[in-house]
Amino acid sequence: MLPVYLQNKLKSLRINSLEELQKYNYFLIFQWLRDIYPSMGFRVLFDLYCLSHNQSLNTLDPEIKAKLKLTYKSLPPHFAPLPKDEIKKFMQIALAIARESDNEIPIGAVVVKDSQVIGWGNNQTIKTNDITAHAEIVAICDASKTLGNYRLDECDLYVTIEPCLMCSGAIINSRIRRVIFGAQEPKTGALISQYKILNNTNINKHTEAIGPIDNDLYSAPLRDFLKQKR
């Protein structure tokens, strides 16, 4: 049975029973809960460990507690899960923006804050004669102008194709919370394909990578573009 103090908190994650809790990794649940309740202490992690292992609460020795803390601090970030319909909505907007590209590599990106688009962009490298004008950076700059702030702490970036190393640097430095990408980019992708740059836990502000959402769907504009060029 779930302890009373945890029941309402876990309901925010749609976890209503011990059986449902044990379907997930206890570290992941703790990361989700800490995103919603930032002041949550490590006691919750210890209790989640015990519940996941069918062990009585408050029975962990100091060595196990220290190991759990150390492991948690080494993990890449995971924020509270986004609703699937919200991901689909903003990915579809990014896809539509990608399809509006004019003789540029068709990639679309939107920055979202509080379920509202505050910045968008597609590739502008040829149009502006600027190699840094990738869709992600254009969208980040647009969002920064909207907010009047270069820090985008509470914002998520949706992009059709996995970001490159340059764009990943911009994502990190702008403090984007999550980057949700539609399709993997095996050659230059810096999130999971080549560099796994967001797994570096030494970075002060962490960004979570979510994706690929649907490789076939979100890579379609790029495939069509490359066919035409050939």
Side-chain angles (χ1 to χ4, degrees):
M1 182 176 178
L2 297 173
V4 174
Y5 88 93
L6 263 182
Q7 287 177 9
N8 286 334
K9 291 180 172 61
L10 289 170
K11 281 181 182 178
S12 65
L13 300 175
R14 299 179 181 178
I15 296 174
N16 299 299
S17 68
L18 179 61
E19 291 73 19
E20 290 176 355
L21 181 147
Q22 290 176 336
K23 293 177 183 178
Y24 298 94
N25 179 279
Y26 49 89
F27 282 116
L28 184 60
I29 294 176
F30 185 59
Q31 286 179 307
W32 289 346
L33 288 174
R34 264 207 159 176
D35 181 37
I36 301 170
Y37 308 101
S39 62
M40 180 170 286
F42 281 103
R43 172 202 170 185
V44 175
L45 175 60
F46 304 151
D47 286 350
L48 289 171
Y49 175 90
C50 291
L51 291 166
S52 296
H53 291 81
N54 293 312
Q55 186 173 333
S56 299
L57 302 184
N58 304 314
T59 58
L60 296 183
D61 60 49
E63 185 178 345
I64 293 178
K65 289 181 179 180
K67 186 176 180 181
L68 288 171
K69 282 185 179 181
L70 190 63
T71 301
Y72 169 76
K73 291 176 181 179
S74 71
L75 295 173
H78 290 283
F79 299 100
L82 289 166
K84 290 182 179 179
D85 58 345
E86 185 165 326
I87 292 176
K88 182 178 180 179
K89 172 185 174 182
F90 293 117
M91 285 303 308
Q92 288 292 324
I93 294 173
L95 185 60
I97 293 169
R99 287 176 172 151
E100 292 173 1
S101 299
D102 184 17
N103 198 35
E104 302 264 4
I105 293 175
I107 297 174
V110 293
V111 177
V112 174
K113 179 178 172 64
D114 299 327
S115 297
Q116 299 292 323
V117 173
I118 62 166
W120 68 275
N122 48 25
N123 276 356
Q124 303 287 325
T125 54
I126 298 171
K127 179 180 178 181
T128 62
N129 200 29
D130 180 359
I131 194 60
T132 69
H134 285 196
E136 299 93 316
I137 294 177
V138 174
I140 286 170
C141 290
D142 192 34
S144 296
K145 288 177 183 176
T146 300
L147 295 181
N149 194 336
Y150 70 93
R151 291 183 173 179
L152 305 177
D153 300 75
E154 301 302 318
C155 300
D156 298 324
L157 174 70
Y158 293 78
V159 60
T160 52
I161 302 293
E162 180 185 359
C164 68
L165 192 57
M166 177 181 71
C167 292
S168 297
I171 289 165
I172 291 167
N173 284 298
S174 63
R175 303 190 176 199
I176 290 283
R177 179 174 52 183
R178 304 180 185 91
V179 55
I180 302 96
F181 63 98
Q184 191 170 351
E185 174 40 74
K187 293 182 179 179
T188 62
L191 304 188
I192 63 173
S193 298
Q194 292 292 337
Y195 305 100
K196 297 180 176 60
I197 190 170
L198 298 184
N199 287 357
N200 183 356
T201 55
N202 292 321
I203 299 170
N204 287 336
K205 293 293 289 186
H206 295 152
T207 300
E208 179 183 5
I210 301 173
I213 302 301
D214 187 329
N215 276 312
D216 289 337
L217 175 62
Y218 293 103
S219 64
L222 181 56
R223 289 199 310 271
D224 294 342
F225 175 81
L226 293 175
K227 284 180 183 177
Q228 290 174 7
K229 289 296 181 182
R230 289 171 188 155

